[in-house]
Amino acid sequence: MREVILDTETTGLDFSAGDQIIEVGCVELINHIPTGNNLQFYCATNKTISLEAKKVHGLTNEFLSKHETFKEQSQKL
């Protein structure tokens, strides 16, 4: 059985307030065993990361400013 585990980090938990994805991570498993096929990237955003979210993932807007946006990253895949 093939599975892909997906994890994201965001600027906060309120999509209606404009919170955005800032990190994507995926791991492929075959019969529950990692295949080594992984995907991970960070995303720049103009949305300020909430203090609560920052406490969870530790990412900062300064760090993310060195990366492309989610839209730019996803268009490459």
Side-chain angles (χ1 to χ4, degrees):
M1 173 174 64
R2 181 176 186 241
E3 300 170 278
V4 176
I5 308 302
L6 171 69
D7 182 43
T8 61
E9 298 297 347
T10 61
T11 58
L13 296 176
D14 191 352
F15 175 77
S16 64
D19 283 321
Q20 300 174 4
I21 293 172
I22 55 175
E23 183 180 12
V24 175
C26 301
V27 176
E28 180 186 53
L29 307 174
I30 303 278
N31 297 322
H32 306 291
I33 299 171
T35 65
N37 191 12
N38 305 315
L39 172 69
Q40 187 275 335
F41 59 90
Y42 297 104
C43 308
T45 182
N46 290 327
K47 173 78 173 168
T48 301
I49 299 169
S50 73
L51 181 59
E52 294 82 11
K54 197 179 295 185
K55 286 179 183 178
V56 171
H57 52 61
L59 298 173
T60 65
N61 288 93
E62 181 181 6
F63 170 77
L64 295 171
S65 69
K66 301 170 185 143
H67 300 275
E68 295 177 313
T69 65
F70 180 84
K71 182 177 181 179
E72 292 166 332
Q73 300 266 12
S74 65
Q75 290 176 348
K76 293 179 179 181
L77 303 174

